[in-house]
Amino acid sequence: MMTVKEVSDLSGVSIRSLHHYDKIGLLPATEVTAAGYRLYDDKALERLQMILLFKELQFPLKDIKEILDDPNFDRSKALEQQIKLLQLRKEHLENLIDLATGIKMIGVGKLNKFGFEAFDTRKIDEYAEQAKESWGKTDAWKEYEQKSAGRSREEEIILGERMMAIFAEFGQVMDRAPESEEAQSLVKKLQNYITENFYTCTDEILESLGLMYAGGGDMTANIDKMGGEGTAVFANEAIEAYILSKT
């Protein structure tokens, strides 16, 4: 058995996230001691690995729970897809390294237009999309498919930019408390925007998204770029306050 801190140290998942996974039933603790400490066995660690694999495919936590709880879940298939995705990303990184090395040696002016192929991630994106489609049978994913059907790439980009503009607004009110009227109004605005354009953003999904926003990586960096450093964490705190006010 491992404690929540030991699991956090091993996996890189924060203690706060592990507590949240337990709370929503995504990764229940195997045992809770009389003192209230969560303990996890090997089976729970295997489930955590699957959770992290599906997060790489950008599934919401709610959808991951439905997939893993499905009695027909095929663990081998999920691992095969993840291996393929990682191989594609490895190939992409190797191409970028080769390009950078070429620029260093002969200069950017000597490279032809084919040097830009190293930046092309379409193969990765297409495979990730195919993998998601093979698992995407949840209600939220079906709703997203319906709402996005017929939208052009340009329209998708505009929708993304408008959503990021909401985070820019979060950045403008960071001097206020997450529980403030201004911050709470933006949480509701964000929730409504996601529901209108992507899928029904329930409070449960919204809470999961908040953790993802503040969880580090490119998403956190992009949000902070729009609203200033700390915007992603502030947005998550505002979402948590919003959820708490409704319980």
Side-chain angles (χ1 to χ4, degrees), residues 20-55:
H20 179 70
Y21 293 172
D22 189 0
K23 176 182 176 183
I24 64 175
L26 177 60
L27 184 69
T30 307
E31 181 182 325
V32 179
T33 69
Y37 293 108
R38 294 174 171 86
L39 298 176
Y40 298 84
D41 61 9
D42 289 343
K43 187 174 181 180
L45 293 178
E46 289 181 5
R47 184 176 173 95
L48 178 58
Q49 288 177 335
M50 290 294 105
I51 292 169
L52 297 178
L53 292 181
F54 279 106
K55 282 190 68 180

mmCIF file of all heavy atoms in Angstrom, residues 20-55:
data_model
loop_
_atom_site.group_PDB
_atom_site.id
_atom_site.type_symbol
_atom_site.label_atom_id
_atom_site.label_comp_id
_atom_site.label_asym_id
_atom_site.label_seq_id
_atom_site.Cartn_x
_atom_site.Cartn_y
_atom_site.Cartn_z
ATOM 1 N N HIS A 20 -9.072 14.966 -5.414
ATOM 2 C CA HIS A 20 -10.221 15.251 -6.280
ATOM 3 C C HIS A 20 -10.645 13.989 -7.027
ATOM 4 O O HIS A 20 -11.854 13.707 -7.133
ATOM 5 C CB HIS A 20 -9.859 16.353 -7.273
ATOM 6 C CG HIS A 20 -10.979 16.699 -8.216
ATOM 7 N ND1 HIS A 20 -12.121 17.341 -7.796
ATOM 8 C CD2 HIS A 20 -11.136 16.468 -9.551
ATOM 9 C CE1 HIS A 20 -12.929 17.507 -8.829
ATOM 10 N NE2 HIS A 20 -12.353 16.985 -9.905
ATOM 11 N N TYR A 21 -9.678 13.216 -7.535
ATOM 12 C CA TYR A 21 -10.007 11.980 -8.234
ATOM 13 C C TYR A 21 -10.781 11.030 -7.312
ATOM 14 O O TYR A 21 -11.703 10.330 -7.759
ATOM 15 C CB TYR A 21 -8.732 11.276 -8.708
ATOM 16 C CG TYR A 21 -7.962 11.998 -9.785
ATOM 17 C CD1 TYR A 21 -6.704 11.536 -10.188
ATOM 18 C CD2 TYR A 21 -8.464 13.138 -10.413
ATOM 19 C CE1 TYR A 21 -5.986 12.191 -11.179
ATOM 20 C CE2 TYR A 21 -7.749 13.801 -11.395
ATOM 21 C CZ TYR A 21 -6.502 13.317 -11.766
ATOM 22 O OH TYR A 21 -5.789 13.957 -12.736
ATOM 23 N N ASP A 22 -10.395 10.995 -6.047
ATOM 24 C CA ASP A 22 -11.091 10.158 -5.073
ATOM 25 C C ASP A 22 -12.513 10.678 -4.860
ATOM 26 O O ASP A 22 -13.487 9.917 -4.859
ATOM 27 C CB ASP A 22 -10.316 10.160 -3.751
ATOM 28 C CG ASP A 22 -10.848 9.141 -2.756
ATOM 29 O OD1 ASP A 22 -11.820 8.432 -3.076
ATOM 30 O OD2 ASP A 22 -10.308 9.054 -1.642
ATOM 31 N N LYS A 23 -12.626 11.988 -4.734
ATOM 32 C CA LYS A 23 -13.916 12.612 -4.455
ATOM 33 C C LYS A 23 -14.945 12.324 -5.552
ATOM 34 O O LYS A 23 -16.122 12.063 -5.266
ATOM 35 C CB LYS A 23 -13.736 14.125 -4.302
ATOM 36 C CG LYS A 23 -15.020 14.903 -4.100
ATOM 37 C CD LYS A 23 -14.742 16.403 -4.019
ATOM 38 C CE LYS A 23 -16.032 17.211 -3.913
ATOM 39 N NZ LYS A 23 -15.752 18.683 -3.904
ATOM 40 N N ILE A 24 -14.506 12.349 -6.827
ATOM 41 C CA ILE A 24 -15.450 12.157 -7.938
ATOM 42 C C ILE A 24 -15.561 10.685 -8.355
ATOM 43 O O ILE A 24 -16.280 10.367 -9.310
ATOM 44 C CB ILE A 24 -15.065 13.018 -9.154
ATOM 45 C CG1 ILE A 24 -13.710 12.590 -9.734
ATOM 46 C CG2 ILE A 24 -15.064 14.487 -8.789
ATOM 47 C CD1 ILE A 24 -13.334 13.337 -11.007
ATOM 48 N N GLY A 25 -14.862 9.801 -7.639
ATOM 49 C CA GLY A 25 -14.964 8.373 -7.927
ATOM 50 C C GLY A 25 -14.109 7.914 -9.092
ATOM 51 O O GLY A 25 -14.237 6.778 -9.548
ATOM 52 N N LEU A 26 -13.229 8.782 -9.594
ATOM 53 C CA LEU A 26 -12.348 8.409 -10.699
ATOM 54 C C LEU A 26 -11.240 7.483 -10.227
ATOM 55 O O LEU A 26 -10.911 6.502 -10.887
ATOM 56 C CB LEU A 26 -11.748 9.674 -11.332
ATOM 57 C CG LEU A 26 -10.748 9.461 -12.464
ATOM 58 C CD1 LEU A 26 -11.401 8.717 -13.622
ATOM 59 C CD2 LEU A 26 -10.180 10.801 -12.935
ATOM 60 N N LEU A 27 -10.663 7.779 -9.061
ATOM 61 C CA LEU A 27 -9.605 6.937 -8.480
ATOM 62 C C LEU A 27 -9.832 6.838 -6.975
ATOM 63 O O LEU A 27 -9.158 7.499 -6.191
ATOM 64 C CB LEU A 27 -8.226 7.519 -8.784
ATOM 65 C CG LEU A 27 -7.039 6.682 -8.302
ATOM 66 C CD1 LEU A 27 -6.938 5.392 -9.102
ATOM 67 C CD2 LEU A 27 -5.746 7.478 -8.405
ATOM 68 N N PRO A 28 -10.774 6.007 -6.570
ATOM 69 C CA PRO A 28 -11.034 5.868 -5.129
ATOM 70 C C PRO A 28 -9.836 5.256 -4.418
ATOM 71 O O PRO A 28 -9.152 4.391 -4.970
ATOM 72 C CB PRO A 28 -12.241 4.918 -5.080
ATOM 73 C CG PRO A 28 -12.804 4.913 -6.470
ATOM 74 C CD PRO A 28 -11.655 5.170 -7.385
ATOM 75 N N ALA A 29 -9.591 5.727 -3.218
ATOM 76 C CA ALA A 29 -8.533 5.119 -2.408
ATOM 77 C C ALA A 29 -8.917 3.670 -2.109
ATOM 78 O O ALA A 29 -10.083 3.351 -1.896
ATOM 79 C CB ALA A 29 -8.346 5.899 -1.116
ATOM 80 N N THR A 30 -7.937 2.800 -2.112
ATOM 81 C CA THR A 30 -8.185 1.390 -1.813
ATOM 82 C C THR A 30 -8.652 1.217 -0.382
ATOM 83 O O THR A 30 -9.518 0.395 -0.077
ATOM 84 C CB THR A 30 -6.899 0.569 -2.028
ATOM 85 O OG1 THR A 30 -6.391 0.817 -3.336
ATOM 86 C CG2 THR A 30 -7.173 -0.912 -1.847
ATOM 87 N N GLU A 31 -8.081 2.037 0.485
ATOM 88 C CA GLU A 31 -8.401 1.937 1.915
ATOM 89 C C GLU A 31 -8.194 3.295 2.558
ATOM 90 O O GLU A 31 -7.323 4.067 2.142
ATOM 91 C CB GLU A 31 -7.484 0.902 2.567
ATOM 92 C CG GLU A 31 -7.694 0.667 4.037
ATOM 93 C CD GLU A 31 -6.704 -0.351 4.590
ATOM 94 O OE1 GLU A 31 -6.356 -1.303 3.863
ATOM 95 O OE2 GLU A 31 -6.263 -0.161 5.744
ATOM 96 N N VAL A 32 -9.000 3.611 3.550
ATOM 97 C CA VAL A 32 -8.834 4.841 4.324
ATOM 98 C C VAL A 32 -8.638 4.433 5.779
ATOM 99 O O VAL A 32 -9.475 3.736 6.353
ATOM 100 C CB VAL A 32 -10.048 5.779 4.197
ATOM 101 C CG1 VAL A 32 -9.832 7.039 5.035
ATOM 102 C CG2 VAL A 32 -10.291 6.153 2.741
ATOM 103 N N THR A 33 -7.525 4.833 6.348
ATOM 104 C CA THR A 33 -7.213 4.429 7.718
ATOM 105 C C THR A 33 -8.123 5.136 8.711
ATOM 106 O O THR A 33 -8.840 6.080 8.369
ATOM 107 C CB THR A 33 -5.750 4.755 8.057
ATOM 108 O OG1 THR A 33 -5.595 6.186 8.124
ATOM 109 C CG2 THR A 33 -4.811 4.182 7.025
ATOM 110 N N ALA A 34 -8.068 4.675 9.943
ATOM 111 C CA ALA A 34 -8.873 5.281 11.005
ATOM 112 C C ALA A 34 -8.518 6.748 11.199
ATOM 113 O O ALA A 34 -9.357 7.559 11.604
ATOM 114 C CB ALA A 34 -8.668 4.511 12.309
ATOM 115 N N ALA A 35 -7.280 7.082 10.866
ATOM 116 C CA ALA A 35 -6.836 8.475 10.992
ATOM 117 C C ALA A 35 -7.198 9.315 9.766
ATOM 118 O O ALA A 35 -6.914 10.511 9.719
ATOM 119 C CB ALA A 35 -5.323 8.522 11.212
ATOM 120 N N GLY A 36 -7.822 8.675 8.768
ATOM 121 C CA GLY A 36 -8.267 9.407 7.585
ATOM 122 C C GLY A 36 -7.272 9.454 6.452
ATOM 123 O O GLY A 36 -7.464 10.183 5.474
ATOM 124 N N TYR A 37 -6.202 8.651 6.528
ATOM 125 C CA TYR A 37 -5.186 8.649 5.468
ATOM 126 C C TYR A 37 -5.616 7.710 4.332
ATOM 127 O O TYR A 37 -6.017 6.571 4.573
ATOM 128 C CB TYR A 37 -3.831 8.212 6.020
ATOM 129 C CG TYR A 37 -3.241 9.194 7.003
ATOM 130 C CD1 TYR A 37 -3.184 8.893 8.361
ATOM 131 C CD2 TYR A 37 -2.745 10.421 6.567
ATOM 132 C CE1 TYR A 37 -2.642 9.798 9.272
ATOM 133 C CE2 TYR A 37 -2.203 11.330 7.463
ATOM 134 C CZ TYR A 37 -2.154 11.014 8.814
ATOM 135 O OH TYR A 37 -1.624 11.908 9.701
ATOM 136 N N ARG A 38 -5.480 8.200 3.100
ATOM 137 C CA ARG A 38 -5.806 7.394 1.932
ATOM 138 C C ARG A 38 -4.625 6.484 1.584
ATOM 139 O O ARG A 38 -3.484 6.929 1.584
ATOM 140 C CB ARG A 38 -6.120 8.290 0.730
ATOM 141 C CG ARG A 38 -7.384 9.128 0.879
ATOM 142 C CD ARG A 38 -7.503 10.082 -0.302
ATOM 143 N NE ARG A 38 -8.768 10.772 -0.347
ATOM 144 C CZ ARG A 38 -9.037 11.899 0.300
ATOM 145 N NH1 ARG A 38 -8.105 12.449 1.065
ATOM 146 N NH2 ARG A 38 -10.219 12.481 0.193
ATOM 147 N N LEU A 39 -4.938 5.214 1.246
ATOM 148 C CA LEU A 39 -3.916 4.255 0.852
ATOM 149 C C LEU A 39 -4.302 3.654 -0.502
ATOM 150 O O LEU A 39 -5.493 3.445 -0.786
ATOM 151 C CB LEU A 39 -3.774 3.144 1.889
ATOM 152 C CG LEU A 39 -3.341 3.571 3.298
ATOM 153 C CD1 LEU A 39 -3.338 2.370 4.236
ATOM 154 C CD2 LEU A 39 -1.967 4.245 3.276
ATOM 155 N N TYR A 40 -3.302 3.371 -1.335
ATOM 156 C CA TYR A 40 -3.541 2.874 -2.688
ATOM 157 C C TYR A 40 -2.742 1.594 -2.931
ATOM 158 O O TYR A 40 -1.554 1.527 -2.595
ATOM 159 C CB TYR A 40 -3.132 3.928 -3.716
ATOM 160 C CG TYR A 40 -3.921 5.213 -3.614
ATOM 161 C CD1 TYR A 40 -3.560 6.210 -2.704
ATOM 162 C CD2 TYR A 40 -5.038 5.424 -4.426
ATOM 163 C CE1 TYR A 40 -4.292 7.379 -2.609
ATOM 164 C CE2 TYR A 40 -5.773 6.600 -4.329
ATOM 165 C CZ TYR A 40 -5.398 7.573 -3.417
ATOM 166 O OH TYR A 40 -6.116 8.736 -3.320
ATOM 167 N N ASP A 41 -3.389 0.588 -3.545
ATOM 168 C CA ASP A 41 -2.687 -0.657 -3.858
ATOM 169 C C ASP A 41 -2.255 -0.650 -5.330
ATOM 170 O O ASP A 41 -2.436 0.338 -6.052
ATOM 171 C CB ASP A 41 -3.567 -1.870 -3.553
ATOM 172 C CG ASP A 41 -4.854 -1.899 -4.372
ATOM 173 O OD1 ASP A 41 -5.002 -1.064 -5.304
ATOM 174 O OD2 ASP A 41 -5.713 -2.759 -4.095
ATOM 175 N N ASP A 42 -1.663 -1.753 -5.788
ATOM 176 C CA ASP A 42 -1.145 -1.843 -7.153
ATOM 177 C C ASP A 42 -2.253 -1.686 -8.195
ATOM 178 O O ASP A 42 -2.032 -1.101 -9.264
ATOM 179 C CB ASP A 42 -0.442 -3.187 -7.367
ATOM 180 C CG ASP A 42 0.876 -3.269 -6.602
ATOM 181 O OD1 ASP A 42 1.382 -2.205 -6.185
ATOM 182 O OD2 ASP A 42 1.386 -4.391 -6.423
ATOM 183 N N LYS A 43 -3.426 -2.210 -7.892
ATOM 184 C CA LYS A 43 -4.545 -2.098 -8.833
ATOM 185 C C LYS A 43 -4.938 -0.635 -9.028
ATOM 186 O O LYS A 43 -5.251 -0.206 -10.153
ATOM 187 C CB LYS A 43 -5.739 -2.908 -8.324
ATOM 188 C CG LYS A 43 -6.885 -2.994 -9.319
ATOM 189 C CD LYS A 43 -7.983 -3.924 -8.810
ATOM 190 C CE LYS A 43 -9.120 -4.023 -9.820
ATOM 191 N NZ LYS A 43 -10.206 -4.926 -9.342
ATOM 192 N N ALA A 44 -4.920 0.142 -7.947
ATOM 193 C CA ALA A 44 -5.246 1.565 -8.046
ATOM 194 C C ALA A 44 -4.198 2.301 -8.868
ATOM 195 O O ALA A 44 -4.514 3.204 -9.648
ATOM 196 C CB ALA A 44 -5.343 2.177 -6.648
ATOM 197 N N LEU A 45 -2.926 1.904 -8.721
ATOM 198 C CA LEU A 45 -1.856 2.525 -9.500
ATOM 199 C C LEU A 45 -2.013 2.217 -10.983
ATOM 200 O O LEU A 45 -1.743 3.068 -11.837
ATOM 201 C CB LEU A 45 -0.492 2.054 -9.000
ATOM 202 C CG LEU A 45 -0.100 2.496 -7.590
ATOM 203 C CD1 LEU A 45 1.264 1.918 -7.217
ATOM 204 C CD2 LEU A 45 -0.079 4.018 -7.478
ATOM 205 N N GLU A 46 -2.453 1.006 -11.310
ATOM 206 C CA GLU A 46 -2.699 0.656 -12.708
ATOM 207 C C GLU A 46 -3.816 1.517 -13.283
ATOM 208 O O GLU A 46 -3.744 1.968 -14.423
ATOM 209 C CB GLU A 46 -3.070 -0.828 -12.821
ATOM 210 C CG GLU A 46 -1.911 -1.777 -12.559
ATOM 211 C CD GLU A 46 -2.327 -3.229 -12.708
ATOM 212 O OE1 GLU A 46 -3.486 -3.482 -13.109
ATOM 213 O OE2 GLU A 46 -1.506 -4.116 -12.411
ATOM 214 N N ARG A 47 -4.849 1.753 -12.480
ATOM 215 C CA ARG A 47 -5.950 2.607 -12.938
ATOM 216 C C ARG A 47 -5.457 4.041 -13.139
ATOM 217 O O ARG A 47 -5.849 4.707 -14.109
ATOM 218 C CB ARG A 47 -7.099 2.569 -11.931
ATOM 219 C CG ARG A 47 -8.340 3.366 -12.387
ATOM 220 C CD ARG A 47 -9.474 3.218 -11.387
ATOM 221 N NE ARG A 47 -10.601 4.071 -11.694
ATOM 222 C CZ ARG A 47 -11.686 3.705 -12.385
ATOM 223 N NH1 ARG A 47 -11.757 2.466 -12.872
ATOM 224 N NH2 ARG A 47 -12.676 4.550 -12.618
ATOM 225 N N LEU A 48 -4.588 4.507 -12.251
ATOM 226 C CA LEU A 48 -4.037 5.850 -12.397
ATOM 227 C C LEU A 48 -3.255 5.972 -13.706
ATOM 228 O O LEU A 48 -3.318 7.005 -14.380
ATOM 229 C CB LEU A 48 -3.142 6.192 -11.212
ATOM 230 C CG LEU A 48 -2.459 7.569 -11.256
ATOM 231 C CD1 LEU A 48 -3.472 8.703 -11.365
ATOM 232 C CD2 LEU A 48 -1.578 7.769 -10.016
ATOM 233 N N GLN A 49 -2.523 4.925 -14.065
ATOM 234 C CA GLN A 49 -1.801 4.938 -15.341
ATOM 235 C C GLN A 49 -2.767 5.100 -16.505
ATOM 236 O O GLN A 49 -2.506 5.876 -17.442
ATOM 237 C CB GLN A 49 -0.998 3.641 -15.501
ATOM 238 C CG GLN A 49 0.218 3.553 -14.581
ATOM 239 C CD GLN A 49 0.936 2.232 -14.724
ATOM 240 O OE1 GLN A 49 0.338 1.222 -15.118
ATOM 241 N NE2 GLN A 49 2.223 2.218 -14.403
ATOM 242 N N MET A 50 -3.885 4.406 -16.461
ATOM 243 C CA MET A 50 -4.875 4.526 -17.523
ATOM 244 C C MET A 50 -5.473 5.940 -17.559
ATOM 245 O O MET A 50 -5.716 6.507 -18.623
ATOM 246 C CB MET A 50 -6.001 3.501 -17.318
ATOM 247 C CG MET A 50 -5.607 2.060 -17.552
ATOM 248 S SD MET A 50 -5.184 1.710 -19.289
ATOM 249 C CE MET A 50 -3.405 1.609 -19.157
ATOM 250 N N ILE A 51 -5.706 6.497 -16.385
ATOM 251 C CA ILE A 51 -6.232 7.866 -16.304
ATOM 252 C C ILE A 51 -5.282 8.837 -16.999
ATOM 253 O O ILE A 51 -5.697 9.691 -17.802
ATOM 254 C CB ILE A 51 -6.442 8.280 -14.833
ATOM 255 C CG1 ILE A 51 -7.574 7.470 -14.209
ATOM 256 C CG2 ILE A 51 -6.740 9.786 -14.723
ATOM 257 C CD1 ILE A 51 -7.676 7.607 -12.698
ATOM 258 N N LEU A 52 -3.995 8.692 -16.713
ATOM 259 C CA LEU A 52 -3.000 9.593 -17.293
ATOM 260 C C LEU A 52 -2.887 9.385 -18.801
ATOM 261 O O LEU A 52 -2.667 10.349 -19.549
ATOM 262 C CB LEU A 52 -1.649 9.385 -16.612
ATOM 263 C CG LEU A 52 -1.620 9.717 -15.116
ATOM 264 C CD1 LEU A 52 -0.240 9.429 -14.529
ATOM 265 C CD2 LEU A 52 -2.009 11.172 -14.870
ATOM 266 N N LEU A 53 -3.053 8.144 -19.262
ATOM 267 C CA LEU A 53 -3.018 7.888 -20.698
ATOM 268 C C LEU A 53 -4.155 8.604 -21.407
ATOM 269 O O LEU A 53 -3.966 9.241 -22.447
ATOM 270 C CB LEU A 53 -3.101 6.385 -20.965
ATOM 271 C CG LEU A 53 -1.910 5.530 -20.546
ATOM 272 C CD1 LEU A 53 -2.144 4.072 -20.911
ATOM 273 C CD2 LEU A 53 -0.615 6.014 -21.191
ATOM 274 N N PHE A 54 -5.354 8.516 -20.855
ATOM 275 C CA PHE A 54 -6.496 9.168 -21.486
ATOM 276 C C PHE A 54 -6.426 10.686 -21.366
ATOM 277 O O PHE A 54 -6.936 11.407 -22.224
ATOM 278 C CB PHE A 54 -7.814 8.626 -20.909
ATOM 279 C CG PHE A 54 -8.232 7.311 -21.510
ATOM 280 C CD1 PHE A 54 -8.111 6.136 -20.794
ATOM 281 C CD2 PHE A 54 -8.714 7.247 -22.793
ATOM 282 C CE1 PHE A 54 -8.467 4.914 -21.348
ATOM 283 C CE2 PHE A 54 -9.077 6.039 -23.371
ATOM 284 C CZ PHE A 54 -8.956 4.864 -22.638
ATOM 285 N N LYS A 55 -5.801 11.193 -20.313
ATOM 286 C CA LYS A 55 -5.598 12.631 -20.209
ATOM 287 C C LYS A 55 -4.695 13.121 -21.330
ATOM 288 O O LYS A 55 -4.852 14.247 -21.818
ATOM 289 C CB LYS A 55 -4.989 12.988 -18.850
ATOM 290 C CG LYS A 55 -5.995 12.982 -17.700
ATOM 291 C CD LYS A 55 -5.400 13.572 -16.432
ATOM 292 C CE LYS A 55 -5.149 15.060 -16.582
ATOM 293 N NZ LYS A 55 -4.579 15.653 -15.353
#
